[in-house]
Amino acid sequence: MKNPLLLKYRSWALVCITLTCIIGVLFLPAIPQLPGYHGLADDRSLLGIPNMLNILTNIPFTLVGIAGIRLLAKEHALNVLVELKPCYYWFFTGIAGVGLGSIYYHSDPSNDTLLWDRLPMSIAFMSFFCIILGEYVSIKMAKSLSYPLLLVGAGSVLYWWLGEKQGHGDLRIYGLVQYLPLLLMPVILLIYPAKFSHGNRYWVFYGLYGLAKVFEIADLPIYQLLGFISGHSLKHLAAAAGCAVFLSQLITRKAH
């Protein structure tokens, strides 16, 4: 893979996928928030608190986020790229924020409370993508793209929310922020060499996040089948488990 021509084509593969997705999404009509989005299967209350299980299953996000921030603050506790240390901080801060924001959302589901769930989520998506870029493709590229991508991520959520306020919400850009990195990540893992050991755990992270999306889609059928927990609650647990796997990777891996 050290052949300059192969290196060039690897880069172009990522560029082509990115441009194809962006152009394709721009040709789609605006995608508003579905009216029934906030009607989750499990709305049981406990101690007067509605959607209690959906609230409780968000706690692992915040715990993993706080643990990651604390370990990053300790020298040599985590094996990270020093040049991209802010991205790791942004990721774990975003994950901690996802837990808190999602708790706030589930306490009173609406577009206004969903804003505070999606904002930290977009920060986690973009910072994680920059980490992958730095660890596999180019540290310099990841560093230069980090803050622009964070702004795009946060901007995509604000764009959707402000649009909903005016009656014409549009989730297309937020969809790109969430799903384009998920499309590019396995390609990057396959065609670029890793700078650290235990790179296989990224596949575990990827699989758990994919499982979380399946749980989200099958919210009601899972609740009807199991009776005690919904797909949405399982989504929280699967996604938080993926973040915990990433944190464990940072603890155990070694630089090549």
Side-chain angles (χ1 to χ4, degrees):
M1 295 297 281
K2 292 182 180 180
N3 185 300
L5 190 60
L6 291 177
L7 291 174
K8 178 182 177 181
Y9 281 126
R10 285 192 306 185
S11 301
W12 274 109
L14 299 181
V15 171
C16 288
I17 293 171
T18 301
L19 289 178
T20 300
C21 290
I22 291 174
I23 294 170
V25 165
L26 291 178
F27 275 98
L28 292 174
I31 303 174
Q33 187 69 63
L34 292 174
Y37 180 85
H38 307 298
L40 300 175
D42 185 4
D43 59 357
R44 290 173 296 172
S45 299
L46 181 64
L47 301 176
I49 302 173
N51 306 308
M52 191 59 176
L53 201 55
N54 284 327
I55 287 175
L56 289 176
T57 51
N58 274 293
I59 294 174
F61 280 117
T62 301
L63 295 178
V64 172
I66 292 172
I69 293 168
R70 292 187 65 183
L71 288 172
L72 279 169
K74 295 181 180 180
E75 192 173 0
H76 306 308
L78 299 180
N79 295 302
V80 300
L81 294 172
V82 176
E83 300 91 335
L84 292 181
K85 201 165 186 180
C87 289
Y88 298 92
Y89 270 114
W90 277 113
F91 174 76
F92 287 111
T93 300
I95 291 302
V98 166
L100 297 174
S102 191
I103 287 172
Y104 178 52
Y105 165 66
H106 286 292
S107 67
D108 181 22
S110 69
N111 286 341
D112 287 335
T113 54
L114 185 58
L115 168 72
W116 300 104
D117 184 4
R118 285 180 171 168
L119 270 176
M121 204 180 301
S122 69
I123 290 170
F125 287 143
M126 292 292 91
S127 54
F128 186 75
F129 182 55
C130 287
I131 290 168
I132 294 291
L133 283 177
E135 291 185 0
Y136 284 83
V137 183
S138 165
I139 296 173
K140 183 179 179 180
M141 177 193 297
K143 191 174 181 179
S144 63
L145 288 176
S146 59
Y147 284 102
L149 286 178
L150 285 170
L151 288 173
V152 168
S156 71
V157 178
L158 292 173
Y159 172 72
W160 156 75
W161 178 70
L162 291 171
E164 293 287 350
K165 287 293 212 182
Q166 297 169 14
H168 50 78
D170 189 356
L171 285 166
R172 287 179 299 170
I173 301 176
Y174 178 71
L176 275 175
V177 165
Q178 183 171 176
Y179 293 107
L180 181 55
L182 289 177
L183 180 61
L184 291 173
M185 189 176 87
V187 178
I188 292 171
L189 295 179
L190 287 171
I191 66 177
Y192 282 90
K195 293 181 175 65
F196 295 94
S197 64
H198 295 79
N200 59 320
R201 293 193 189 178
Y202 277 127
W203 291 104
V204 179
F205 174 93
Y206 189 77
L208 284 169
Y209 189 80
L211 184 62
K213 301 308 290 183
V214 172
F215 286 148
E216 181 180 29
I217 293 169
D219 180 33
L220 179 58
I222 289 174
Y223 186 52
Q224 291 173 332
L225 177 66
L226 299 179
F228 66 95
I229 192 169
S230 68
H232 198 87
S233 292
L234 288 174
K235 164 202 165 183
H236 295 158
L237 296 176
C243 297
V245 168
F246 175 55
L247 179 58
S248 71
Q249 177 190 9
L250 299 183
I251 295 171
T252 58
R253 69 186 186 178
K254 304 294 181 183
H256 286 317

